[in-house]
């Protein structure tokens, strides 16, 4: 069986089994392990609060930024978190438009990851302005000073790109949630949990599951997917313009937009693998988030990692081919200058380690994929660091050269954003179905109108794709003819009506 033919849901599950498996984790008593993890995440969030309070009180001078390196960890971490958020929209929107059914088990968690990563990313440019209480000056709103933002600045383009990206991603995630929220609402009502049912009913927007509701839902979901797909390409392209439209050697290059987009997908999928490997085990969802899902994501990591590695090599070639001594020195300085350790860490993590995924055994090994997913995001952080710092610390005047070093407050703020991310992600796991129940059911064999099983229990037959090999020959003929299950055996005696002389319907 090829990877494309492998069943998307394993374990011979029925529709009811899928609902129970996913819903149970939002309805059961909160486990102690969740409280421990949530406490650790809240500690990280507290660290972020302290770091931000100290920053606002004393100003950005507490960071390691200096002249000539006026962009330090703040911009590095901003680009890092925006990149993390790209896989969610890609899985949800692009793969949906291309009818890739394997996305259904992972899209919900990936979309949530996108929202939380964008929230983390927005922390850095917001406080990097220095006087954070004047951050509204970035917005094109009338003010008492008759001042308007500089629309020619790529930093302002970031404001529009990231805010639109976050808004559309939130709408896309929420619309996809509505059928599942209605399922949880109905289950809560049957359990007598009135308050929970009312809260879920409010967010379910009166969903009834009627044909009309599904038609409107699918149309809205398709439109949002169409809106979100260009954002996958545009948002990180705009982020790359922060560097590419400048005249700084090492930044002023046309390869940045596609290179940044590939890197964002690369790091985003790595974070999805990191989270899914742990979540599927803790929540017993191995039959829904299978090794086949993880292998396909590892293949994407291999492809995008190779694209990113090709971009690294291309940058060096273009610097040499251009004949511009400043460009040539900028790239030689990256590889062999004071920050050589960061450059080679980037190359090792982003180019060499993912090549292990050429081997199928490694692509399907949980420890190896978990380790590579972590090293990938470490490497992508180093990539942003190398791009930002090495191009600034040695500019045109040797008298300005300096060695940039981050301070403890840089590190604490970055650590704190992980606290914010995991706080939000743990709340998501606790209160929201982490797998899209309705979408997973839509790709199961039972969703086929010609599905039939002689036992009538709703479970799939065999491997979930060959739905005729376990039924009698006359039942196989009925399948070939395209008869619907209800018409096969109206009197429920186990014998299809075409072959049943006692059938009355």
């Amino acid at each position: 069986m090829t990877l494309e033919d492998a069943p998307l849901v394993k374990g011979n599950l029925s529709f009811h089994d899928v609902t129970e498996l996913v819903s149970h984790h939002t309805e059961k008593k909160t486990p102690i392990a969740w409280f421990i993890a949530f406490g650790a995440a809240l500690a990280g969030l507290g660290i972020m609060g302290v770091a931000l309070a100290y920053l606002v009180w004393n100003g950005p001078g507490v960071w390691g930024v200096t002249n000539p390196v006026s962009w330090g960890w703040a911009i590095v971490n901003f680009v890092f978190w925006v990149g993390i958020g790209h896989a969610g929209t890609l899985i949800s929107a692009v793969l949906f438009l291309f009818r890739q059914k394997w996305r259904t088990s992972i899209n919900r968690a990936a979309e949530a990851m996108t929202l939380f990563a964008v929230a983390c990313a927005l922390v850095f440019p917001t406080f990097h302005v220095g006087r954070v209480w004047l951050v509204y000056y970035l917005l094109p709103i009338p003010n008492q000073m008759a001042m308007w933002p500089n629309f020619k600045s790529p930093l302002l383009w970031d404001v529009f790109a990231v805010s639109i990206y976050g808004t559309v991603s939130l709408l896309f995630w929420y619309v996809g949630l509505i059928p599942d929220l209605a399922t949880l609402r109905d289950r809560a009502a049957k359990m007598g949990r009135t308050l929970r049912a009312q809260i879920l009913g409010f967010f379910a927007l009166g969903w009834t599951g009627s044909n009309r509701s599904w038609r409107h839902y699918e149309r809205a979901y398709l439109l949002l997917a169409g809106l979100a797909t260009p954002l996958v390409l545009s948002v990180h392209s705009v982020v790359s313009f922060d560097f590419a439209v400048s005249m700084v050697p090492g930044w002023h290059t046309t390869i940045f937009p596609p290179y940044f987009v590939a890197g964002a997908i690369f790091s985003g999928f790595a974070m999805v693998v990191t989270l899914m490997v742990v979540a599927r085990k803790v929540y017993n969802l191995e039959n829904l988030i299978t090794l086949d899902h993880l292998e396909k994501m590892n293949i994407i990591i291999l492809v995008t990692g190779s694209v990113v590695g090709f971009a690294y090599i291309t940058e060096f070639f273009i610097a040499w081919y251009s004949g511009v001594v400043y460009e040539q020195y900028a790239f030689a300085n990256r590889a062999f200058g004071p920050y050589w350790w960061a450059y080679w860490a980037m190359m090792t993590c982003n180019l060499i380690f993912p090549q292990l995924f050429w081997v199928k055994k490694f692509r399907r090994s949980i420890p190896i994929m978990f380790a590579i997913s972590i090293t990938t995001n470490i490497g992508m952080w180093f990539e942003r660091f190398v791009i930002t710092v090495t191009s600034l610390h040695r500019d045109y005047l040797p008298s300005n050269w300096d060695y940039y070093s981050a301070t403890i407050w840089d590190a604490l703020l970055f650590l704190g954003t992980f606290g914010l991310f995991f706080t939000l992600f743990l709340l998501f796991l606790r209160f929201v179905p982490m797998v899209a129940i309705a979408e997973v059911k839509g790709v199961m064999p039972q969703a086929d109108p010609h599905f039939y099983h002689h036992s009538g229990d709703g479970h799939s037959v065999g491997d979930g794709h060959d739905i005729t090999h376990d039924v009698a020959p006359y039942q196989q003929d009925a399948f070939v003819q395209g008869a619907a299950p209800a018409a096969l055996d109206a009197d429920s005696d186990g014998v299809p009506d075409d072959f049943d002389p006692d059938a009355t319907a």
Side-chain angles (χ1 to χ4, degrees):
M1 181 180 296
T2 65
L3 187 60
E4 291 73 19
D5 296 330
L8 297 174
V9 177
K10 296 185 176 180
N12 197 29
L13 301 178
S14 66
F15 282 170
H16 176 72
D17 296 332
V18 173
T19 302
E20 287 290 333
L21 191 60
V22 178
S23 302
H24 171 68
H25 298 293
T26 67
E27 297 167 345
K28 67 180 180 181
K29 184 179 179 180
T30 307
I32 298 299
W34 185 90
F35 281 113
I36 295 174
F38 191 65
L42 281 180
L45 185 59
I47 291 173
M48 187 183 81
V50 171
L52 289 178
Y54 189 80
L55 171 68
V56 172
W57 184 260
N58 292 279
V62 302
W63 287 341
V65 291
T66 182
N67 190 20
V69 185
S70 55
W71 282 12
W73 273 34
I75 301 300
V76 172
N77 297 336
F78 164 71
V79 180
F80 171 80
W81 279 116
V82 172
I84 292 292
H86 263 56
T89 307
L90 180 81
I91 291 171
S92 300
V94 179
L95 297 185
F96 172 76
L97 294 178
F98 282 94
R99 298 296 186 261
Q100 296 297 304
K101 295 181 179 180
W102 63 271
R103 60 174 278 282
T104 54
S105 293
I106 58 174
N107 69 316
R108 175 72 50 75
E111 291 167 20
M113 183 198 75
T114 291
L115 299 175
F116 307 151
V118 169
C120 294
L122 290 177
V123 169
F124 295 99
T126 300
F127 288 88
H128 195 235
V129 299
R131 297 171 180 171
V132 67
W133 52 90
L134 299 179
V135 72
Y136 67 91
Y137 278 8
L138 293 172
L139 304 176
I141 56 177
N143 59 77
Q144 73 278 12
M145 299 180 66
M147 293 176 60
W148 292 89
N150 179 12
F151 288 98
K152 296 180 180 180
S153 169
L155 301 180
L156 182 63
W157 305 344
D158 276 349
V159 174
F160 289 102
V162 177
S163 58
I164 292 172
Y165 180 65
T167 302
V168 173
S169 297
L170 177 62
L171 287 173
F172 196 40
W173 178 71
Y174 178 63
V175 169
L177 264 174
I178 292 174
D180 292 353
L181 293 177
T183 298
L184 296 182
R185 173 201 64 194
D186 297 340
R187 290 171 60 89
K190 290 180 180 179
M191 296 177 192
R193 303 171 68 175
T194 307
L195 179 60
R196 176 180 170 86
Q198 289 176 344
I199 295 174
L200 290 168
F202 174 79
F203 288 105
L205 304 180
W207 177 269
T208 62
S210 65
N211 181 55
R212 181 180 181 183
S213 297
W214 277 109
R215 283 191 292 109
H216 289 313
Y217 164 82
E218 290 177 353
R219 186 174 301 170
Y221 200 76
L222 180 62
L223 288 173
L224 287 171
L227 285 173
T229 297
L231 293 176
V232 175
L233 303 176
S234 66
V235 172
H236 224 54
S237 294
V238 171
V239 170
S240 76
F241 292 162
D242 294 351
F243 306 94
V245 300
S246 73
M247 297 303 294
V248 177
W251 287 2
H252 187 66
T253 171
T254 56
I255 199 177
F256 265 29
Y259 160 34
F260 269 52
V261 170
I265 296 170
F266 181 49
S267 60
F269 267 89
M271 182 63 85
V272 174
V273 170
T274 302
L275 298 174
M276 290 298 97
V277 163
V278 176
R280 70 191 286 270
K281 184 66 176 178
V282 172
Y283 285 86
N284 299 317
L285 296 175
E286 288 96 334
N287 287 326
L288 297 181
I289 305 172
T290 67
L291 269 178
D292 298 320
H293 290 94
L294 297 175
E295 183 180 0
K296 288 175 180 176
M297 288 193 286
N298 291 335
I299 291 172
I300 294 177
I301 290 173
L302 170 62
V303 172
T304 52
S306 300
V307 171
V308 168
F310 177 75
Y312 296 157
I313 298 170
T314 301
E315 282 187 309
F316 265 88
F317 170 76
I318 294 300
W320 167 79
Y321 190 70
S322 68
V324 179
V325 293
Y326 302 105
E327 285 284 337
Q328 293 172 353
Y329 178 79
F331 284 96
N333 183 54
R334 283 185 183 180
F336 307 108
Y339 293 103
W340 63 268
W341 47 272
Y343 180 83
W344 292 109
M346 171 192 80
M347 291 293 287
T348 303
C349 293
N350 294 347
L351 179 58
I352 298 175
F353 288 163
Q355 302 307 313
L356 293 175
F357 284 149
W358 283 104
V359 181
K360 185 179 181 67
K361 181 179 179 180
F362 293 157
R363 289 201 304 269
R364 299 181 68 86
S365 170
I366 295 295
I368 290 178
M369 73 174 73
F370 185 71
I372 291 179
S373 69
I374 292 176
T375 58
T376 292
N377 273 313
I378 292 173
M380 289 307 295
W381 186 89
F382 273 113
E383 179 203 283
R384 280 67 182 246
F385 178 85
V386 167
I387 289 173
T388 303
V389 174
T390 61
S391 295
L392 292 176
H393 85 112
R394 289 182 173 176
D395 60 10
Y396 293 100
L397 296 177
S399 58
N400 286 344
W401 290 6
D402 195 7
Y403 188 86
Y404 167 82
S405 297
T407 67
I408 185 64
W409 298 106
D410 286 292
L412 289 178
L413 182 55
F414 185 44
L415 177 65
T417 55
F418 280 97
L420 172 62
F421 180 85
F422 285 110
T423 297
L424 295 174
F425 195 76
L426 286 167
L427 289 172
F428 160 75
L429 292 178
R430 181 68 190 91
F431 297 107
V432 179
M434 67 169 291
V435 173
I437 301 173
E439 293 195 52
V440 168
K441 291 178 181 178
V443 300
M444 292 173 63
Q446 292 91 321
D448 189 329
H450 304 300
F451 177 83
Y452 177 81
H453 189 281
H454 61 278
S455 66
D457 62 355
H459 290 80
S460 60
V461 181
D463 63 10
H465 282 258
D466 183 3
I467 60 176
T468 64
H469 76 278
D470 281 343
V471 298
Y474 57 79
Q475 293 172 321
Q476 293 183 18
D477 292 338
F479 272 108
V480 173
Q481 293 166 11
L488 290 175
D489 186 13
D491 52 355
S492 302
D493 62 355
V495 182
D497 295 339
D498 289 346
F499 305 89
D500 184 4
D502 298 325
T504 57

